[in-house]
């Protein structure tokens, strides 16, 4: 599957991804903290995306969480320390993203969450 870029002024209709909102943020407003998006558009957990920030930094990883109201995206990326079996989690404020590219859109249901040991969390 080829990557699908979403750039300034690009329209995205009928896709279950929040990339249209990132494009809306970029269209005419640059990287200002004002962002509007149609309800029901979101990033699918497990999708691979690439983002370009206002500082022209390219961030790429797997979507692990997305909050529509705050426009925050959590990406799982390879560890910056290079350690195997480790990963970096990046929290990205989409109000400051100028471009989003969906590399691989996951359409199936994500796996269930791992169970937590609540007694360890409390201590």
């Amino acid at each position: 599957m080829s990557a699908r870029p979403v750039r300034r002024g690009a329209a995205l209709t009928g896709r279950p991804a929040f990339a249209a909102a990132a494009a809306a943020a970029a269209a005419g407003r640059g990287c200002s903290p004002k962002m509007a998006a149609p309800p029901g558009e979101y990033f699918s957990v497990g999708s691979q995306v690439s983002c370009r920030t206002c500082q022209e930094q390219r961030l790429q990883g797997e979507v692990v969480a997305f909050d529509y109201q705050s426009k925050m995206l959590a990406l799982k990326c390879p560890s910056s320390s290079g350690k195997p079996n480790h990963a970096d989690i990046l929290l990205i404020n989409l109000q400051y993203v100028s471009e989003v590219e969906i590399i691989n859109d996951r359409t199936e249901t994500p796996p269930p969450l791992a169970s937590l040991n609540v007694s360890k969390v409390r201590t």
Side-chain angles (χ1 to χ4, degrees):
M1 177 178 284
S2 64
R4 290 177 230 140
V6 177
R7 291 190 173 81
R8 292 181 187 266
L12 184 68
T13 57
R15 287 192 27 81
F18 191 76
R29 291 189 292 276
C31 292
S32 70
K34 296 176 181 148
M35 184 173 187
E41 300 229 357
Y42 58 90
F43 286 108
S44 301
V45 172
S47 295
Q48 293 287 324
V49 298
S50 176
C51 303
R52 184 187 343 232
T53 67
C54 292
Q55 292 81 30
E56 298 300 318
Q57 180 182 14
R58 179 62 70 176
L59 305 171
Q60 183 174 336
E62 176 185 345
V63 175
V64 292
F66 173 66
D67 182 58
Y68 179 82
Q69 276 192 304
S70 63
K71 309 298 187 278
M72 294 297 290
L73 176 66
L75 291 182
K76 180 180 172 182
C77 305
S79 174
S80 57
S81 68
K83 292 181 181 178
N85 301 325
H86 285 80
D88 291 345
I89 302 294
L90 304 177
L91 297 176
I92 302 168
N93 184 339
L94 291 176
Q95 294 176 353
Y96 298 100
V97 168
S98 61
E99 179 183 332
V100 174
E101 187 175 325
I102 301 168
I103 298 168
N104 184 5
D105 195 8
R106 183 177 183 139
T107 56
E108 60 270 1
T109 305
L113 297 173
S115 61
L116 291 175
N117 185 338
V118 178
S119 62
K120 281 189 175 183
V121 172
R122 289 184 181 150
T123 58

